[in-house]
């Protein structure tokens, strides 16, 4: 089964996205929109916000799993991400991830935890891979 995403456009700037995930075998759906300031209705996160949420969630699940494997409580665990933008406010210069650890987190595991957060596929694609983006078109049948 291949991994496929598909976007449709019900009106305005709203986009409905369906994701066929080989991991679950299910089609999941979510939505994006732009704020009213940019012509949308503000009914959903923007595509950029969705990307940032995916990056934070991906790192977060790796961090959560690391803690669970080491029997470290996760109730107080948090993953936060801030951006440092270029002067034009368009290009991201840095993604700064801060992991808020529970008090009982062992100091000697911090570097391993950070390495585990970096194993997130979203981060790996930004840092390690150079995927090719190919565009094509076809007519509706």
């Amino acid at each position: 089964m291949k991994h496929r995403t598909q976007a449709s456009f019900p009106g305005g700037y709203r986009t409905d996205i369906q994701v066929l995930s080989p991991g679950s075998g299910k089609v999941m759906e979510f939505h994006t929109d732009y704020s009213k300031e940019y012509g949308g209705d503000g009914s959903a996160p923007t595509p950029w916000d969705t990307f940032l949420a995916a990056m934070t969630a991906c790192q977060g699940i790796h961090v959560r799993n690391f803690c669970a494997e080491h029997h470290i409580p996760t109730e107080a665990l948090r993953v936060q991400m801030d951006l440092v933008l270029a002067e034009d406010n368009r290009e991201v210069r840095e993604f700064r991830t801060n992991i808020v650890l529970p008090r009982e987190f062992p100091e000697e595991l911090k570097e391993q935890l950070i390495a585990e957060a970096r194993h997130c596929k979203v981060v790996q694609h930004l840092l390690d891979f150079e995927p090719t983006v190919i565009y094509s078109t076809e007519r509706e049948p």
Side-chain angles (χ1 to χ4, degrees):
M1 178 184 298
K2 63 182 171 181
H3 197 141
R4 170 169 270 191
T5 59
Q6 177 175 291
S8 57
F9 310 96
Y13 283 92
R14 185 180 169 99
T15 304
D16 295 341
I17 299 100
Q18 294 80 36
V19 178
L20 173 58
S21 177
S24 68
K26 296 180 180 179
V27 175
M28 305 299 246
E29 187 170 316
F30 63 97
H31 314 280
T32 65
D33 197 355
Y34 281 94
S35 67
K36 291 182 180 190
E37 175 184 358
Y38 292 101
D41 291 327
S43 66
T46 67
W48 178 247
D49 292 339
T50 303
F51 169 74
L52 297 176
M55 190 170 169
T56 306
C58 183
Q59 293 177 94
I61 199 67
H62 280 266
V63 166
R64 178 251 172 244
N65 289 347
F66 180 91
C67 288
E69 288 170 12
H70 289 85
H71 308 288
I72 299 166
T74 57
E75 292 78 18
L77 183 66
R78 301 286 180 271
V79 176
Q80 304 163 333
M81 190 173 65
D82 295 313
L83 306 181
V84 176
L85 300 175
E87 288 182 25
D88 65 2
N89 282 335
R90 294 185 53 82
E91 182 181 336
V92 176
R93 294 284 183 203
E94 293 179 7
F95 294 94
R96 293 185 179 176
T97 299
N98 180 48
I99 303 168
V100 179
L101 300 171
R103 285 193 182 104
E104 53 272 15
F105 192 91
E107 186 70 30
E108 64 273 11
L109 294 180
K110 283 184 179 179
E111 290 302 314
Q112 290 177 44
L113 177 74
I114 291 169
E116 186 60 32
R118 194 181 183 285
H119 279 103
C120 152
K121 278 186 182 182
V122 179
V123 172
Q124 283 183 334
H125 276 82
L126 288 173
L127 299 176
D128 301 334
F129 307 143
E130 294 181 18
T132 301
V133 178
I134 299 170
Y135 293 92
S136 65
T137 63
E138 64 181 73
R139 295 232 183 255
E140 177 182 30

